[in-house]
Amino acid sequence: MKDLLVVGENSVIGSALLDAASARCLSVEGTSRRNGGLDLADAASVARFHLQATRTAVICAAVASLSACERAPERALAVNVTGTLALAQRLRNFGIHPIALSTNLVFGGDKACCGTSDVVSPKTSYGRQKAEMERGILALGGTVLRLTKVLSQTSVMFRQWRDNLALGQPINAFCDMYMAPIPLPRVTAALLALIRAPRPGLVQLSADRDISYAQAASFICCGVGADLALVRPVSAPTEIALEARPQHTTLDTTEATVWLGWRAIAPEDTLAEVFLV
């Protein structure tokens, strides 16, 4: 029996999870539409996907771009809701425990540190789709892992900020967009803990507070020893809808602390861990 199936193995989280699980000698299988594997947007692909005896599956595949969800809502719905839930049902029927990833955008951002028992209030298409997906996964007895902003070395904008600032080049950063960033390695560690001891329910990972993108840029600027004047705070352009830039993004992590041993992390610690080490 395999330990883990990763759906969306080419995604940032899926790829990191495969590597981390393999490094711990877990028996893993990955699949991705890009590699000719499972396509959640295709009902036939979901129905014919060959399942092997496996303990747990983590569904990382998603249409996560807010603009893509607005531009092509039918395809986004097929991937984020219909296909994900059809696969989760097949997994449960086969005796495999499903874990699905979700987002702080199931909340509208009107208050900080939303808890797992708070009523969802999404304001974006992506958030509404993820909220619907959550209900289905939980009804099947699966696990939902809600995440705030996940940062990694593949987070191009932040990496470019660091490199440009180190060269003495100015950058623009939004002063009215906020995030509660968490580092990718800690997300994969939390997932591995869920894989080792799967249990149904909802758990959330978040930094301990929000910071603006401009504040993040200023921290990186100090970290590379550059002049703070190089960071130019600007307002987000009007094409980024207000719904897509909530004032609050933090989540309450009580369950993560109990279930997974999650330790509170400051946004600056995430930035330092990912971009300044």
Side-chain angles (χ1 to χ4, degrees), residues 195-218:
I195 291 160
R196 284 193 296 269
R199 57 185 291 178
L202 177 58
V203 64
Q204 303 182 146
L205 305 184
S206 170
D208 62 9
R209 69 183 191 282
D210 284 302
I211 59 170
S212 71
Y213 280 63
Q215 289 171 322
S218 294

Side-chain angles (χ1 to χ4, degrees), residues 85-120:
L85 294 182
L87 174 63
Q89 181 67 71
R90 285 200 65 210
L91 292 169
R92 289 298 285 168
N93 292 345
F94 206 75
I96 302 171
H97 183 81
I99 300 173
L101 305 184
S102 191
T103 170
N104 61 279
L105 288 174
V106 297
F107 298 109
D110 299 319
K111 75 168 190 172
C113 291
C114 292
T116 55
S117 61
D118 287 344
V119 177
V120 296

Side-chain angles (χ1 to χ4, degrees), residues 142-221:
T143 304
V144 171
L145 180 63
R146 279 186 192 146
L147 305 170
T148 57
K149 180 75 171 177
V150 178
L151 293 183
S152 72
Q153 279 292 325
T154 64
S155 302
V156 175
M157 181 179 70
F158 297 89
R159 195 174 68 239
Q160 289 177 339
W161 280 356
R162 178 197 62 197
D163 296 345
N164 289 344
L165 289 166
L167 293 172
Q169 298 173 355
I171 64 167
N172 295 333
F174 300 145
C175 60
D176 52 359
M177 283 188 67
Y178 302 90
M179 61 178 172
I182 51 178
L184 177 61
R186 298 203 188 191
V187 174
T188 57
L191 281 167
L192 288 172
L194 284 173
I195 291 160
R196 284 193 296 269
R199 57 185 291 178
L202 177 58
V203 64
Q204 303 182 146
L205 305 184
S206 170
D208 62 9
R209 69 183 191 282
D210 284 302
I211 59 170
S212 71
Y213 280 63
Q215 289 171 322
S218 294
F219 179 81
I220 292 172
C221 184

